Amino acid sequence: MASDSQLAYETLKHRILAGQYKPGTQLKEEPLAEAFGISRTPVRTALRRLVEDGLAVAESGKGVHVAAWTQWDIEEVFQLRLRLEPFSAQLAAERRSEQALKTLQQSNTRMHEAIQAGGPRMADLTQAANRVFHHTLLQASGSHRLQSILATMIDMPIVIRSFHLYTREEMQQSLSHHQDLTMAVQERDGALAHDIMQLHLTVTRRRLMKVRAANAEAAQED
């Protein structure tokens, strides 16, 4: 059985990722503890984990607030990734080493195993494999400029943790894109890798924005 702090953490994380809380919203221990029917200690632990995740910020004397990732911040990051990451994937396919290809294949295997196993760790394990995959492609591109620009965008907390909003079918779709990308890299087909990455990011963007828009609309109706 999950602990009180784990349940509070998962609930708050989902609300932040889904856009239920606006950027800058203060997360107060006492009202949250009352709402969850638990003591303040596990809520405090949950809030600390959210700060470590980059989903919330803590300031001395001001408490804990939802990190200021606005809708425009997310949109801007996706637009930049859509313009740069397909080119990075193209270069990776053309320049990749055998070790890079092996790492991509291993990442796909881990992602597949996590999805098949299901359970409470599915999203975290899938997310971890996804991060390795994208960073491996970026490094395989051999472009230090692209790496310096894209590395932080790939690790944007509100985006990389969006796997916690995915259904198993959506995770499987993401894995299928990764497998197709790996095939393009194996064949050293830069044009194909470019197009698959563009599709992959477009679908990811649309999926996340759809969930956040639905939650924003529901919040306005309350």
Side-chain angles (χ1 to χ4, degrees):
M1 180 180 293
S3 66
D4 287 343
S5 64
Q6 180 67 20
L7 288 172
Y9 166 74
E10 293 294 343
T11 301
L12 292 170
K13 177 173 63 178
H14 188 278
R15 290 176 181 177
I16 293 172
L17 290 170
Q20 191 168 337
Y21 293 142
K22 293 181 180 180
T25 298
Q26 186 173 7
L27 302 173
K28 298 181 179 180
E29 288 181 16
E30 190 170 352
L32 288 171
E34 186 176 342
F36 292 144
I38 58 179
S39 69
R40 294 177 62 174
T41 300
V43 171
R44 189 177 305 124
T45 301
L47 294 178
R48 190 180 305 120
R49 289 183 63 187
L50 291 173
V51 172
E52 292 171 354
D53 286 347
L55 297 175
V57 292
E59 296 183 51
S60 179
K62 296 183 179 180
V64 177
H65 295 77
V66 175
W69 294 111
T70 66
Q71 204 75 352
W72 167 245
D73 290 327
I74 300 170
E75 182 66 41
E76 182 183 44
V77 165
F78 269 113
Q79 291 301 331
L80 288 169
R81 287 184 67 181
L82 276 164
R83 283 158 175 77
L84 296 174
E85 205 165 349
F87 178 53
S88 174
Q90 177 181 336
L91 292 179
E94 295 168 352
R95 300 174 174 179
R96 59 87 174 165
S97 64
E98 289 300 318
Q99 182 56 52
L101 176 61
K102 183 179 179 180
T103 301
L104 293 175
Q105 293 168 337
Q106 291 172 338
S107 171
N108 290 342
T109 298
R110 293 192 196 97
M111 199 168 180
H112 171 74
E113 291 173 347
I115 295 169
Q116 290 301 306
R121 297 196 65 205
M122 178 174 64
D124 284 330
L125 292 174
T126 302
Q127 170 193 308
N130 178 77
R131 183 181 184 277
V132 169
F133 186 91
H134 281 269
H135 276 281
T136 299
L137 274 179
L138 181 56
Q139 291 167 5
S141 73
S143 171
H144 296 297
R145 291 185 182 87
L146 281 174
Q147 290 173 28
S148 65
I149 295 170
L150 283 170
T152 55
M153 294 184 195
I154 290 174
D155 284 336
M156 183 179 181
I158 202 73
V159 175
I160 64 171
R161 299 188 186 281
S162 63
F163 273 98
H164 290 268
L165 302 176
Y166 286 15
T167 63
R168 178 176 286 186
E169 290 72 23
E170 289 169 334
M171 290 185 191
Q172 184 61 53
Q173 182 185 55
S174 185
L175 172 59
S176 294
H177 290 165
H178 284 201
Q179 291 169 331
D180 289 342
L181 269 164
T182 302
M183 177 194 68
V185 170
Q186 183 172 3
E187 297 298 321
R188 298 189 186 275
D189 191 332
L192 181 59
H194 177 285
D195 292 347
I196 295 171
M197 179 61 82
Q198 195 164 51
L199 171 65
H200 179 55
L201 292 174
T202 299
V203 171
T204 301
R205 170 192 168 278
R206 185 166 297 180
R207 181 184 293 131
L208 179 57
M209 291 305 195
K210 183 178 180 181
V211 171
R212 291 178 64 83
N215 277 275
E217 184 177 339
Q220 289 178 353
E221 293 175 355
D222 289 343

